[in-house]
Amino acid sequence: MDLQFEPRLARHKDELEWLFMELYGDRAALNALEAEMADAFAARSAELKALDAAREADPHWYRRGTMQGMTMYTDLFAGDLKKLAKKLPYLQEQGVTYLHLMPLLKMPHPHNDGGYAVEDFDTVDPALGTNDDLAALTKQLRAAGISLCLDFVMNHTADTHPWALRARAGDPVYQNYYCCYPDREIPDQFERTMPQVFPNTAPGNFTWDDAMQRWVLTTFHPYQWDLNYRNPAVFTAMVKSMLHLANLGVEVLRIDAVPYIWKTLGTTCRNLPQVHTIVRMVRMILECVCPAVILKGEVVMAPRELAAYYGTPEKPECHMLYNVSVMVNLWAALAARDVRLLKAQLDQLNALPEHCWFVNYLRCHDDIGWGLDEDEERRLGIDPQRHKEYLYRFYDGEFPGSWARGALYNYDPATGDARSCGTTASLCGVEAALDQKDDAALDLAVRRVLLLHSAAAFCKGFLMLNSGDEIAQLNGWDYQNDPARADDSRNLHRTVFNWRKAAQRRRPGTLQNRIWQGLAELRALRADACFDPDAAVTTWGGDNDAVLALVRRGGGQSLVGLFNFSEQPQTVHLDSPALLGLGAAVTLAPYEAKIV
């Protein structure tokens, strides 16, 4: 053990202990944490320790151009973990190297926020399998060159978690695992500065619990109790569960709702300095015990907040983050036929330090929240509120001339705010074109799908597909007929995978084949040296607001990506085209992605 664990711990010991004592001032709790770390390392298999050593020798393994991600629900894709293991050839056919399975730890049924209300952080939900099934799957994935990502819900537990049940029973030790108050004095003080996440469907940040006779902090839903990270026992217990998942073979931990985990009166309780202390400690703990495991942060915040979650090259935090802002701006550019906001957003993100890395995507399990840069909108002469209303009405198909089919999520008539739901294909017009039996419209819809994927794949980071997007899967409107699902419009795009349609992927000329082949061409493109881990990505100026120009440089080579976000042919005159090896003007077909 000493040959690996002790030297790693020695590298981090001073900083880890200093940060822990600064936050908690509890030497006994620190000793307990270090004992858990040593136990987890001792329990780690020889195969996983070999992976640790390989990853230490290749720290940029997750940044290679050949990385290809996919996210899915186990039950919707295959039924359970054993059945999913039998589907690995399908994933390998697409070159998948990174598989994110939506929450699969033990959860209450039916109300569990899509699995983000966790009842047991150490146990697979019986509906999906067992811990042995998970370990067997990760072993098969490793053999196939695929790293498994699982969500780790840091901010809260289900109110049916054993800790919550003990708190309800009156145990003060476990009441201190949460933020509980006997009256409204402290909760009312928090409410003055703490924004609400779901003001319509889950108003307020506190829930009264009759059994406990306490107000409990519930930032998200009433059945999700916020953990009290001021208690070192909470931090140590959560770290223990992370390491348990790592020892089952999980290679990427998506830390959910991480900006919310520290609460201080008089603040928004988001993005506080103590959050970064905790994430930094988690990073060091993983590097000591299981350095093959990396952190992906779910940070749905303004770009100015993102850099802090990476830490610094000397003291890193998350290895990568979701590229939420580019996802939103891609959809906004498509609806507006205007890339100016997208370009401005990319300029901000490309200016981040070199160690900042992104998971790029178009759709996931969640909605599209129209959190655009309002200052930049105003600078461009765009009214932020009218623009937001246009976008969500365009994508629910209500705006005149819209080709999209989707649904609103969390519409608030008082503020005029709403988010959007739907699959990539339906939001791009495939569903409407098929309904209307319009081949020309279908051709444009396919072009939109491939345009968005091409632009996302050209950005800094790697591309993650949402399961079903590779075969142009449509919205599942039948969710409205299921009482357990009807009140959450995100179920519109949480659909059972259509294996019958997937079988069409090899038939030339089919819708599924066109999308499948287009994505295969993107994967081939990303093998280029311009997608190496240290490649540079920049935007490029031009005179056409419908065309996005991106330049990649790596391995002494360069690639130019030109993306037409309009259904009309466009000609663009780029700044200093000779520097790019291009002529004075470039003409693009409708929704064309031209790589030169």
Side-chain angles (χ1 to χ4, degrees):
M1 180 178 79
D2 291 345
L3 293 178
Q4 292 176 305
F5 179 69
E6 292 298 342
R8 291 173 187 155
L9 179 60
R11 287 198 298 270
H12 292 301
K13 191 175 179 67
D14 287 347
E15 185 188 357
L16 178 60
E17 293 191 350
W18 184 82
L19 289 176
F20 189 95
M21 293 301 291
E22 180 188 46
L23 197 62
Y24 295 120
D26 188 330
R27 175 61 62 174
L30 175 60
N31 292 340
L33 171 66
E34 292 183 345
E36 293 290 359
M37 292 167 61
D39 288 348
F41 180 82
R44 195 157 171 81
S45 71
E47 182 181 347
L48 291 175
K49 287 178 179 177
L51 183 65
D52 291 333
R55 294 281 168 78
E56 282 185 304
D58 182 19
H60 286 164
W61 64 271
Y62 62 94
R63 299 177 58 151
R64 304 203 177 283
T66 51
M67 281 293 286
Q68 174 66 54
M70 177 165 279
T71 181
M72 63 178 59
Y73 284 92
T74 299
D75 56 341
L76 297 179
F77 182 71
D80 60 31
L81 292 173
K82 283 183 177 177
K83 293 174 182 174
L84 190 148
K86 296 176 182 177
K87 301 293 187 182
L88 293 193
Y90 177 80
L91 301 181
Q92 290 177 284
E93 190 180 339
Q94 299 174 76
V96 170
T97 59
Y98 169 104
L99 177 64
H100 178 191
L101 295 180
M102 288 288 99
L104 50 71
L105 300 178
K106 193 169 185 293
M107 64 191 83
H109 294 277
H111 300 296
N112 53 51
D113 189 28
Y116 288 94
V118 181
E119 207 167 69
D120 184 346
F121 289 99
D122 298 321
T123 306
V124 171
D125 192 86
L128 300 173
T130 66
N131 284 17
D132 288 343
D133 294 337
L134 179 59
L137 175 64
T138 62
K139 187 178 183 70
Q140 289 174 267
L141 288 170
R142 280 195 301 281
I146 302 174
S147 298
L148 180 65
C149 171
L150 285 191
D151 293 87
F152 193 82
V153 184
M154 289 196 70
N155 182 69
H156 47 262
T157 74
D159 63 359
T160 50
H161 190 286
W163 299 342
L165 297 180
R166 292 176 185 176
R168 273 196 172 123
D171 188 332
V173 170
Y174 287 95
Q175 288 179 355
N176 194 36
Y177 275 47
Y178 300 97
C179 304
C180 305
Y181 306 95
D183 55 42
R184 287 292 308 186
E185 181 182 355
I186 299 299
D188 285 345
Q189 291 181 48
F190 271 113
E191 294 284 20
R192 291 186 190 118
T193 57
M194 195 174 175
Q196 298 180 51
V197 175
F198 302 124
N200 297 309
T201 55
N205 287 296
F206 290 83
T207 298
W208 175 256
D209 186 77
D210 266 337
M212 191 167 54
Q213 290 291 293
R214 294 282 192 280
W215 290 96
V216 60
L217 182 58
T218 55
T219 298
F220 290 88
H221 293 100
Y223 54 83
Q224 292 167 306
W225 288 14
D226 285 43
L227 287 164
N228 174 21
Y229 277 92
R230 291 178 181 273
N231 180 353
V234 168
F235 176 77
T236 299
M238 295 297 275
V239 164
K240 182 179 180 180
S241 292
M242 285 187 192
L243 298 177
H244 179 252
L245 291 174
N247 282 353
L248 288 175
V250 176
E251 296 181 32
V252 185
L253 291 170
R254 174 196 178 272
I255 47 178
D256 178 71
V258 66
Y260 300 83
I261 61 176
W262 193 271
K263 315 300 193 297
T264 298
L265 280 173
T267 73
T268 62
C269 298
R270 299 179 184 182
N271 306 307
L272 297 180
Q274 294 86 347
V275 170
H276 298 288
T277 297
I278 288 172
V279 177
R280 173 63 184 147
M281 288 196 295
V282 170
R283 172 75 178 252
M284 287 189 286
I285 290 165
L286 295 179
E287 290 185 356
C288 291
V289 178
C290 46
V293 179
I294 63 175
L295 290 173
K296 176 173 70 171
E298 190 232 5
V299 182
V300 186
M301 298 288 164
R304 63 179 176 275
E305 304 284 1
L306 297 183
Y309 286 90
Y310 291 104
T312 65
E314 298 76 25
K315 296 181 178 181
E317 295 179 25
C318 292
H319 296 77
M320 54 190 176
L321 302 181
Y322 277 124
N323 205 341
V324 180
S325 56
V326 166
M327 179 272 292
V328 172
N329 277 278
L330 283 167
W331 287 107
L334 188 68
R337 290 78 161 176
D338 185 340
V339 303
R340 290 177 297 165
L341 279 173
L342 172 59
K343 180 182 182 299
Q345 194 76 88
L346 287 167
D347 286 338
Q348 287 187 48
L349 297 178
N350 290 338
L352 292 174
E354 190 273 337
H355 70 289
C356 301
W357 200 248
F358 289 102
V359 178
N360 300 308
Y361 67 105
L362 299 178
R363 298 298 298 113
C364 64
H365 70 287
D366 226 336
D367 55 90
I368 302 172
W370 299 107
L372 301 171
D373 186 335
E374 294 189 0
D375 289 339
E376 183 65 18
E377 286 181 294
R378 294 187 187 97
R379 191 186 72 79
L380 294 172
I382 299 169
D383 181 294
Q385 184 59 36
R386 291 185 65 189
H387 189 209
K388 180 187 297 185
E389 292 175 4
Y390 164 73
L391 291 170
Y392 66 66
R393 288 302 179 195
F394 186 93
Y395 282 112
D396 76 357
E398 292 296 319
F399 195 85
S402 172
W403 25 255
R405 295 291 181 270
L408 300 185
Y409 176 68
N410 259 22
Y411 174 61
D412 185 347
T415 62
D417 194 24
R419 307 176 190 185
S420 299
C421 298
T423 68
T424 295
S426 290
L427 294 177
C428 282
V430 172
E431 184 175 330
L434 291 174
D435 286 347
Q436 296 158 8
K437 297 180 173 56
D438 186 332
D439 289 344
L442 182 60
D443 180 67
L444 289 175
V446 169
R447 286 170 172 264
R448 292 183 196 106
V449 170
L450 295 177
L451 169 80
L452 290 184
H453 280 107
S454 299
F458 217 78
C459 293
K460 183 177 181 179
F462 69 86
L463 179 65
M464 182 177 72
L465 301 179
N466 195 43
S467 175
D469 280 359
E470 76 279 12
I471 57 167
Q473 191 146 317
L474 304 181
N475 291 331
W477 294 99
D478 56 344
Y479 86 93
Q480 296 172 331
N481 303 321
D482 181 350
R485 302 169 68 229
D487 63 350
D488 189 339
S489 57
R490 291 176 299 180
N491 287 313
L492 179 64
H493 53 263
R494 297 172 179 176
T495 51
V496 175
F497 188 78
N498 192 325
W499 287 100
R500 183 176 57 83
K501 291 290 179 64
Q504 301 295 313
R505 68 189 184 276
R506 298 195 184 100
R507 288 187 56 195
T510 62
L511 167 64
Q512 291 73 27
N513 180 257
R514 292 181 66 187
I515 300 296
W516 188 272
Q517 289 302 120
L519 294 176
E521 291 170 12
L522 273 183
R523 289 195 301 278
L525 171 70
R526 285 183 57 86
D528 189 280
C530 291
F531 292 89
D532 284 351
D534 57 354
V537 189
T538 57
T539 64
W540 201 268
D543 64 350
N544 190 326
D545 292 340
V547 177
L548 174 70
L550 295 175
V551 179
R552 276 188 161 271
R553 293 186 174 89
Q557 305 174 48
S558 65
L559 277 178
V560 181
L562 301 174
F563 307 92
N564 177 11
F565 279 73
S566 165
E567 63 268 54
Q568 303 296 329
Q570 299 290 335
T571 297
V572 60
H573 299 83
L574 297 170
D575 298 342
S576 306
L579 293 177
L580 303 176
L582 299 176
V586 180
T587 299
L588 300 167
Y591 299 120
E592 182 179 4
K594 179 176 288 187
I595 312 298
V596 290

